[in-house]
Amino acid sequence: IQNIPAIPSFIKDGKVLDIGCGDGDTLVLLKNLGWDPYGFDIDSRSVEIARERGIHARLGTYKELSEYPDHYFDAIRLYHVIEHIDDPSLCLSLIHKKLKKKGELLIGTPNVESVIAGLFKQYWYNLDTPRHLFLFSPQTLGKLLNKNNFILKKVEFCSVGGIPGSLQYVIGDLLKRKINLIKIPIVLLFYPVEWFLNKLRIGDIFVMRASAKSN
């Protein structure tokens, strides 16, 4: 569990919501630790699988948060989700209403000001247009959190795969054909560089840990 990003601080029997939960892999781990797991996803098959694994999963987006009582969740997680959302500010506002007082929010998203983004520019792996509607830096996301009544607690960097992913676009463009470099041996080859960038706090992916201010 230590190697999985954006894991909430443990609360026994706490209610945790994973927006964009997929098949529920992370929620199953949290359930085994003692959490009461909830999730949303836009893929009906993923929701079905998550339910079979004992997750309170439902089909939908962050807008389904309105179906829950205010101050219902102890922790809410969005990992590689906020960049896909049509209105990140509205999403954070809804999350604030549904988190308990001082409840924890965890957001993982690409860093538009990373060294890798600056180096590869339009070939940057995590640019991912048109699926990514918004791109953030720790500074811009921090301001958005503050605007929506969150207190920033910690910023962590957990990049992996950004360099080979970007290189495959450069090489593919040169060769005029699709190249796949996201393979474990290649990713591991570049991981020491990405680990070093993470330590310098200029990595490709960052996770923000915040708590909800009192209303």
Side-chain angles (χ1 to χ4, degrees):
I1 194 86
Q2 295 97 331
N3 296 322
I4 299 172
I7 294 298
S9 306
F10 179 66
I11 296 174
K12 184 175 174 56
D13 298 322
K15 289 182 171 60
V16 59
L17 172 67
D18 192 5
I19 299 175
C21 66
D23 294 350
D25 289 344
T26 300
L27 287 174
V28 168
L29 292 172
L30 293 174
K31 180 184 177 184
N32 292 338
L33 290 175
W35 285 92
D36 185 11
Y38 293 73
F40 296 150
D41 204 271
I42 60 172
D43 182 79
S44 58
R45 179 57 183 152
S46 293
V47 169
E48 184 181 338
I49 293 169
R51 286 174 178 167
E52 290 170 356
R53 302 172 81 182
I55 308 300
H56 307 296
R58 61 193 302 168
L59 186 65
T61 69
Y62 71 92
K63 294 174 183 176
E64 269 59 56
L65 277 164
S66 59
E67 302 295 318
Y68 291 97
D70 289 352
H71 315 301
Y72 189 72
F73 295 104
D74 295 279
I76 295 179
R77 179 180 188 267
L78 299 94
Y79 191 65
H80 285 285
V81 170
I82 197 166
E83 63 271 18
H84 297 274
I85 285 175
D86 59 349
D87 191 337
S89 189
L90 174 60
C91 175
L92 292 177
S93 176
L94 285 170
I95 286 172
H96 187 274
K97 289 180 182 178
K98 303 308 173 182
L99 273 175
K100 294 180 181 178
K101 183 180 177 181
K102 297 184 180 179
E104 190 172 40
L105 169 63
L106 299 110
I107 302 178
T109 192
N111 177 15
V112 72
E113 293 186 358
S114 72
V115 167
I116 299 171
L119 179 64
F120 286 98
K121 297 183 173 25
Q122 73 269 27
Y123 296 108
W124 181 39
Y125 183 59
N126 284 297
L127 185 61
D128 202 8
T129 53
R131 297 193 319 125
H132 287 179
L133 304 178
F134 292 89
L135 292 170
F136 299 93
S137 68
Q139 292 75 24
T140 57
L141 186 54
K143 288 178 182 178
L144 192 62
L145 285 168
N146 184 63
K147 175 187 172 185
N148 286 283
N149 296 308
F150 287 94
I151 300 169
L152 180 60
K153 295 294 188 181
K154 190 175 183 181
V155 182
E156 303 162 300
F157 291 81
C158 54
S159 318
V160 62
I163 295 176
S166 301
L167 281 172
Q168 73 182 9
Y169 291 151
V170 173
I171 296 169
D173 195 27
L174 289 171
L175 299 179
K176 304 303 179 189
R177 62 187 181 90
K178 191 172 182 179
I179 301 292
N180 180 18
L181 297 182
I182 301 298
K183 299 176 181 179
I184 291 176
I186 300 174
V187 170
L188 291 177
L189 178 66
F190 287 100
Y191 180 70
V193 177
E194 299 200 50
W195 177 89
F196 183 65
L197 294 176
N198 289 337
K199 292 300 179 183
L200 293 178
R201 303 181 66 77
I202 50 177
D204 220 25
I205 306 295
F206 66 96
V207 172
M208 282 194 158
R209 194 177 294 266
S211 64
K213 291 181 186 176
S214 303
N215 287 316

